[in-house]
Amino acid sequence: MTDRSVRYVGRAANVEDRDVKIKQSQEEAMSGDIITLEVSDHIALVTLNRPPVNALNRAMRERIVSVFDEISERSDVRVAILTGAGKVFCSGADLKDRPDATALGAFHSHNRITRETGNCIRECSKPVIAAINGVALGAGLGLMASCDIFYASEEAVFGMPEINVGLAGGAAMLNTLFGRSLMRRMFFTGYRVPAAELYRLGIIEACTASENLIPEAMKVAREIAAKSPIAIEYAKQATNMVELMPPRDAYRFEQNITMALSKTEDAKEARQAFLEKRAPVFKGR
């Protein structure tokens, strides 16, 4: 009886500690400073801002989710850019913020918010451009893999070093970016790939000097922002879904989207502007 009581009290204390940590992370996330959001000319600039290396803790993850959920619903945003403050994009998960394996439910809670950190970007209704300004490791590389278009500075380096710290996650992220051999080499050894090699392999759009990174990302962001916002949202939905479908079903899905889009005012304006040889004026409806 005594042993059971001691164990019960211990578990209750673990749960209480977990709840305290969650509350603390929520308070930190609400401050907003760890992730900054700037919106101008229909472009959202999202910056990871947790010095010195933008390591992801729970508060940062929760803030990322809230920011990209907000972007999904904002009518004044048509495209987003994700980058990092300082010289590091994201060093990965904060190893000091690991869940307590003895606390019931702690790992499930941790894993859920970890999944949603990438899902909120992947499922964002607006295209997201990654502007990788430095090292992107582990969960940091996962953030990039969740984006739609990739740019990187010459200083950027990419890796999944989980195998070196007693973990084994990230293969699903690597699989969306790399071929079989390189993906497994990175996963089994922690091998880090420089941005220049990713550009050579055609994985990223550009490998630029650091001072040109955001301007280069802004160029394509402005191009996207000039399109019909309703068409871009349909296009984002289509690109996400066709990855999961056989070709026949995927094309049918796209045809349905095209049919729905053709009935919008923006589609009529696009056709009229083309015929009149002028720039279209889109209203998002």
Side-chain angles (χ1 to χ4, degrees):
M1 176 68 73
T2 301
D3 289 342
R4 288 182 179 179
S5 299
V6 170
R7 283 197 295 270
Y8 177 81
V9 171
R11 287 177 180 175
N14 286 335
V15 171
E16 184 177 343
D17 289 344
R18 181 198 66 190
D19 292 342
V20 168
K21 288 180 180 179
I22 291 175
K23 183 177 180 181
Q24 289 172 340
S25 72
Q26 289 172 339
E27 291 172 351
E28 186 180 346
M30 288 175 65
S31 71
D33 292 338
I34 51 178
I35 305 292
T36 64
L37 171 62
E38 305 168 67
V39 177
S40 179
D41 298 327
H42 302 295
I43 300 170
L45 179 63
V46 182
T47 305
L48 308 179
N49 186 36
R50 186 173 181 246
V53 293
N54 297 322
L56 295 173
N57 63 357
R58 188 182 184 101
M60 203 172 179
R61 293 181 186 280
E62 289 175 347
R63 178 64 178 155
I64 289 171
V65 172
S66 67
V67 164
F68 279 98
D69 284 350
E70 176 184 335
I71 287 171
S72 282
E73 295 189 17
R74 286 185 63 157
S75 60
D76 62 334
V77 175
R78 298 181 182 178
V79 59
I81 296 173
L82 175 63
T83 193
K87 297 183 178 180
V88 174
F89 173 71
C90 178
S91 64
D94 188 343
L95 294 181
K96 297 177 182 178
D97 194 45
R98 298 295 297 168
D100 181 357
T102 66
L104 297 179
F107 251 106
H108 288 290
S109 177
H110 172 81
N111 288 344
R112 182 172 293 108
I113 189 62
T114 297
R115 291 194 301 271
E116 292 312 311
T117 308
N119 288 341
C120 71
I121 299 172
R122 189 177 299 105
E123 296 169 3
C124 182
S125 65
K126 318 295 170 61
V128 182
I129 301 166
I132 310 300
N133 56 296
V135 171
L137 301 178
L141 181 53
L143 290 179
M144 171 185 152
S146 299
C147 296
D148 299 288
I149 299 170
F150 315 130
Y151 284 80
S153 71
E154 294 167 341
E155 295 81 9
V157 177
F158 305 85
M160 192 64 66
E162 267 65 1
I163 197 73
N164 297 327
V165 291
L167 303 173
M173 302 167 190
L174 292 174
N175 205 40
T176 66
L177 299 172
F178 305 104
R180 177 186 175 94
S181 179
L182 180 55
M183 175 275 219
R184 294 180 184 228
R185 179 185 176 190
M186 293 175 70
F187 195 55
F188 296 160
T189 70
Y191 172 64
R192 301 183 182 188
V193 187
E197 179 65 5
L198 263 60
Y199 180 65
R200 187 187 72 81
L201 293 171
I203 294 171
I204 61 177
E205 294 296 304
C207 175
T208 76
S210 57
E211 63 270 21
N212 295 332
L213 177 61
I214 296 300
E216 285 296 316
M218 279 290 181
K219 285 181 184 178
V220 70
R222 284 192 287 268
E223 188 175 354
I224 293 171
K227 308 297 183 184
S228 160
I230 191 169
I232 287 295
E233 289 197 27
Y234 271 128
K236 175 65 183 281
Q237 183 182 9
T239 53
N240 277 352
M241 293 303 296
V242 298
E243 289 182 340
L244 310 175
M245 296 177 170
R248 178 185 175 89
D249 296 332
Y251 190 53
R252 175 62 186 274
F253 178 82
E254 289 185 85
Q255 286 181 317
N256 289 341
I257 282 181
T258 298
M259 184 168 61
L261 184 60
S262 68
K263 299 176 182 179
T264 66
E265 291 182 29
D266 275 4
K268 295 175 184 177
E269 168 63 9
R271 291 191 292 272
Q272 194 65 32
F274 178 80
L275 293 173
E276 295 175 1
K277 295 181 172 54
R278 60 173 174 82
V281 179
F282 296 120
K283 299 179 180 178
R285 59 177 185 263

